[in-house]
């Protein structure tokens, strides 16, 4: 038990130390505007532009919550006040907020948003809607120009983003409208689909009309000859209260309206996607050209975007997530494992419940948690904690059940109470198992914590999410390598801890002959 | 004095003990003898109060034993199992003084008791800092005996304490135990399947078979006045050591 007490106090010390480090950093706060972005290039760039304009106007400081997963998450964040501003798309918002309305107008959308305390700018100019992309050679070979030309080519293999497959105005409606039927369709992430298209694994996918990486893959976009796709005009979405509180900022932001045509947006996206320029730089360059920001070359430095966040910050965030969740898993999981031994039925039921938790996909679990815990570190820690319950409680139970019943009987006859037996005999004897469970949890936490980036908790996941979104292998590795290294470090740390924490009498492998 | 009346115990639909009646006087060594599965360990646990009988009562010095946690007789019981039942994560000394520590017995008193008992059982005090794994079987039994005797118990319950020892060590430990029992004059119940051991220790011997007492009496009663054909069968079941001459060159 001593050993476990050591472990718990060590962990809580670490977490406490990290907690204080964080709060002292937050002391320098002034008014903040939290800018959201979703994990794809265009969203990063537009939100970075918004953030730079906010900083340049000077009424408030921009806090970048970039790379948040899924459209629901950002809009929910805005509605609940966790986020302040975002660049979104009319089509996506209509789909999300007015899903049942027939032919909704832009006025309907404005009205609906006002009801949620949100405000919409005019269109920024471009319409980034869906398109169907095929390899140019396929287009030539089968003389495909329009989507309707696909009729009769049901042998073509399609891969579409999950969003496109699920939206009402997505793939299945498209098939109805155009009378096209494809026999082989599967869901695939965007950047992977382009690669798959290039390597002839698939023949067509959904693309975005302003996608900067289209030119490098030699793709042909089929014309939407029946006007099927809704308009996806880029718009700034802001909380009404924030717009009122920072009027100069809102005015400055609205200068972006109508300045980004389709071709302009595609060009800007290509600078990042194809030419690998830094998002911060690309955004700043555009804003300077347009004279939307005044900061001179040598003026106040514009803080780097989230993607250029230092590795140390990410390491700190990642470690914080892993350790806090681990501590919680131990605090709840070990007693749960003990209970499961004392009260078999109830305990087994509880452990079965924790196994059930394991089957919930991490992103889905986060989505359930957001309405309760908001976005950022809290829901992530809670999700990791839930995932850690099973290995910790299960290993505690296994460890306690594996004990020699004669030893427990002896302890009982010697006169130790239930609690004394647990503390002095059973837990120390089971410590090897328990520690193994904690180690497993720690290593799994390191890997799973990469999803944190999707709900704005940072960590190494930010590089992986953005790298995947922008098809940037180097960025993915910048997240993946430290994650792997941290997992390995945790493994060795626990090997070392085991030597220190597991009672010596249990470690002597070979009995010494007297 | 320990009185067992009408004690029965079933596990699922198997009867482990049926209607056991025994009277075990104080300051004597009583042996529960029988082959494995005869119910002797179960009976010991019921007497110790860690297992409830289905029916019947156990009285220790006129007080009824009830099953409770912690063990109600603990302060008056010493207990020792096969291989000693030492806790592997504690050193010999920690094993011995565990309960005294929990009860807050002062260090000087513990030290004094440790010295007395080490001398009594013949254990080199230098071995006390070792973990059970680092001790020989005989040393472990001596440590376990010190632990059992530490609280000056009135009753000593020993469950096959020599089961795992090799013959030479077993002989040593048997001799040491006999000497200790004689010196302390406490009430001992020893569970064994070894007839020689039963004869060596037992003031009384209780021969159990299939959960029933076949005979309760002295060794000579069992040999000369068996109450049941099984008694003789059991006593003769162990192969005698052949004379050296019989083995041939």
């Amino acid at each position: 038990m001593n050993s476990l007490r050591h472990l718990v106090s060590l962990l809580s010390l670490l977490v406490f130390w990290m907690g204080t480090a964080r709060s002292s950093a937050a002391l320098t706060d002034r008014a903040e505007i939290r800018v959201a972005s979703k994990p794809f290039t265009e969203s990063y760039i537009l939100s970075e532009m918004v953030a730079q304009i906010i900083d340049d106007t000077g009424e408030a400081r921009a806090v970048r919550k970039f790379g948040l997963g899924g459209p629901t998450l950002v809009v929910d964040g805005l509605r609940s006040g966790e986020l302040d501003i975002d660049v979104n798309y009319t089509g996506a918002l209509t789909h999300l907020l007015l899903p049942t309305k027939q032919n909704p107008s832009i006025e309907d959308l404005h009205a609906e948003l006002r009801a949620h305390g949100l405000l919409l700018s005019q269109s920024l100019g471009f319409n980034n809607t869906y398109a169907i992309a095929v390899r140019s050679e396929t287009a030539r070979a089968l003389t495909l120009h329009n989507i309707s030309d696909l009729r009769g080519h049901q042998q073509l293999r399609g891969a579409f983003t999950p969003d496109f497959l699920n939206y009402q105005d997505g793939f299945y409606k498209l098939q109805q409208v155009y009378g096209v039927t494809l026999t082989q369709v599967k869901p695939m992430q965007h950047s992977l689909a382009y690669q798959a298209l290039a390597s002839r694994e698939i023949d067509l996918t959904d693309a975005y009309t302003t996608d900067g990486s289209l030119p490098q893959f030699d793709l042909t976009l089929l014309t939407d000859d029946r006007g099927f796709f809704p308009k996806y005009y880029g718009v700034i979405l802001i909380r009404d209260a924030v717009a009122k509180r920072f009027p100069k900022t809102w005015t400055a932001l609205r200068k972006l309206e109508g300045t980004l045509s389709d071709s302009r947006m595609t060009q800007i996206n290509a600078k990042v996607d194809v030419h690998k320029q830094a998002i911060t730089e690309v955004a700043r360059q555009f804003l300077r050209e347009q004279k939307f920001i005044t900061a001179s070359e040598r003026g106040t430095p514009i803080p780097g975007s989230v993607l250029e966040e230092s590795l140390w910050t990410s390491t700190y965030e990642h470690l914080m997530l892993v350790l806090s969740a681990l501590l919680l898993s131990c605090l709840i999981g070990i007693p749960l494992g003990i209970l499961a031994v004392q009260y078999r039925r109830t305990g087994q039921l509880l452990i079965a419940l924790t196994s059930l938790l394991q089957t919930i996909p991490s992103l889905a679990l986060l989505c359930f948690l957001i309405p309760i815990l908001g976005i950022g570190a809290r829901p992530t820690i809670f999700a990791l904690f839930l995932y850690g319950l099973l290995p910790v409680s299960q290993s505690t139970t296994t460890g306690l059940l594996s004990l020699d019943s004669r030893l427990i009987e002896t302890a009982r006859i010697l006169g130790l109470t239930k609690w004394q037996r647990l503390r002095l005999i059973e837990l120390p004897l089971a410590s090897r198992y328990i520690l193994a469970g904690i180690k497993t949890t720690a290593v799994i936490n390191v890997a799973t914590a990469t999803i944190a980036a999707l709900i704005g908790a940072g960590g190494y996941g930010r590089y992986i999410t953005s790298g995947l979104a922008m098809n940037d292998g180097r960025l993915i590795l910048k997240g993946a390598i430290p994650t792997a290294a941290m997992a390995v470090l945790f493994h060795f740390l626990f090997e070392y801890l085991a030597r220190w924490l597991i009672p010596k009498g249990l470690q002597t492998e070979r009995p010494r002959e007297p | 004095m320990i009185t067992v009346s009408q004690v029965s115990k079933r596990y699922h639909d198997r009867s482990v003990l049926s209607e056991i009646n025994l009277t075990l006087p104080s300051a004597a060594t009583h042996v529960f003898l029988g082959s494995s599965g005869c119910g002797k360990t179960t009976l010991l646990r019921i007497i110790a109060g860690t297992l409830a009988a289905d029916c019947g009562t156990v009285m220790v010095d006129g007080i009824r034993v009830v099953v409770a946690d912690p063990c109600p007789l603990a302060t008056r019981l010493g207990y020792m199992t096969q291989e000693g039942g030492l806790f592997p994560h504690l050193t010999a000394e920690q094993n011995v003084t565990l309960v005294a520590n929990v009860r807050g017995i002062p260090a000087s008193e513990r030290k004094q008791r440790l010295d007395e008992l080490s001398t009594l059982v013949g254990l080199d005090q230098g071995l006390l800092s070792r973990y059970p794994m680092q001790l020989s079987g005989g040393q472990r039994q001596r440590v376990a005996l010190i632990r059992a005797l530490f609280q000056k118990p009135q009753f000593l319950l020993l469950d096959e304490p020599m089961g795992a020892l090799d013959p030479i060590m077993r002989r040593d430990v048997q001799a040491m135990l006999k000497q200790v029992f004689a010196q302390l004059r406490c009430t001992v119940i020893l569970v064994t399947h070894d007839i020689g051991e039963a004869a060596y220790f037992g003031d009384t011997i209780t021969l159990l078979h299939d959960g029933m007492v076949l005979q309760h009496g002295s060794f000579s009663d069992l040999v000369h006045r068996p109450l049941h054909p099984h008694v003789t069968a059991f006593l003769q079941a162990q192969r005698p050591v052949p004379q050296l001459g019989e083995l041939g060159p």
Side-chain angles (χ1 to χ4, degrees), chain A residues 298-482:
Chain A
R298 295 180 299 123
T300 42
I302 295 165
S305 91
V306 160
L307 294 186
E308 283 105 50
E309 199 76 76
S310 83
L311 206 54
W312 288 121
T313 312
S314 299
T315 304
Y316 161 76
E317 286 168 346
H318 209 87
L319 208 56
M320 176 78 185
L321 293 171
V322 169
L323 289 179
S324 322
L326 191 62
L327 181 66
L328 279 175
S329 297
C330 293
L331 287 180
I332 307 291
I334 294 174
L336 190 64
I338 293 169
L339 276 180
V341 176
Q342 305 265 339
Y343 309 96
R344 292 287 164 87
R345 286 263 170 79
T346 324
Q348 287 307 318
L349 202 72
L350 284 174
I351 289 192
L353 272 178
T354 65
S355 334
L356 205 67
L357 287 172
Q358 300 290 312
T359 65
I360 306 176
S362 44
L363 206 53
L365 183 57
L366 288 178
C367 284
F368 293 138
L369 292 175
I370 286 162
I372 310 159
L373 295 171
I375 62 168
R378 272 185 306 167
T380 314
I381 291 172
F382 194 74
L384 291 177
F385 149 68
L386 288 181
Y387 285 130
L389 273 184
L390 179 69
V392 172
S393 59
Q394 187 72 75
S395 64
T396 307
T397 307
T398 310
L400 290 175
L401 288 178
S402 72
L403 301 182
D404 184 347
S405 60
R406 285 177 308 178
L407 285 183
I408 310 306
E409 178 86 356
T410 304
R412 203 170 156 194
I413 296 182
L414 282 173
L416 297 183
T417 63
K418 212 179 213 183
W419 172 240
Q420 287 166 341
R421 288 200 299 271
L422 190 68
R423 195 165 57 86
L424 298 169
I425 310 293
E426 298 176 19
L427 285 177
L429 286 178
S431 58
R432 189 190 291 277
Y433 286 88
I434 300 174
L435 207 62
I438 297 174
K439 179 169 100 176
T440 309
T441 307
V443 173
I444 292 176
N445 276 359
V446 170
T448 315
T450 52
I451 58 159
L454 291 174
I455 58 169
Y460 293 141
R462 66 159 53 90
Y463 307 118
I464 297 175
T465 323
S466 330
L468 279 174
M470 299 192 292
N471 198 19
D472 182 341
R474 273 181 52 203
L475 201 53
I476 295 176
L477 287 180
K478 188 175 174 187
I481 292 173

Side-chain angles (χ1 to χ4, degrees), chain A residues 1 404 406-421 423-429 502-514, chain B residues 45 48-51 67-71 74 77-79 81-90 98-99 102-103 130-131 133-136 139 147-148 157:
Chain A
M1 186 60 199
D404 184 347
R406 285 177 308 178
L407 285 183
I408 310 306
E409 178 86 356
T410 304
R412 203 170 156 194
I413 296 182
L414 282 173
L416 297 183
T417 63
K418 212 179 213 183
W419 172 240
Q420 287 166 341
R421 288 200 299 271
R423 195 165 57 86
L424 298 169
I425 310 293
E426 298 176 19
L427 285 177
L429 286 178
I502 293 176
K504 285 208 177 46
L506 299 180
Q507 295 184 4
T508 322
E509 290 299 326
R510 215 178 306 134
R512 201 197 309 164
E513 286 302 323
Chain B
R45 293 182 61 197
T50 60
L51 184 71
V67 174
D69 199 359
C71 181
L77 280 187
Y79 182 67
T81 63
Q82 204 169 36
E83 294 176 71
L86 296 178
F87 303 120
H89 64 296
L90 301 176
L98 178 69
V99 177
V102 169
R103 299 229 171 98
R130 290 197 184 175
Y131 287 98
M133 277 200 120
Q134 300 166 322
L135 298 171
S136 72
Q139 290 163 344
R147 184 174 70 181
L157 309 184

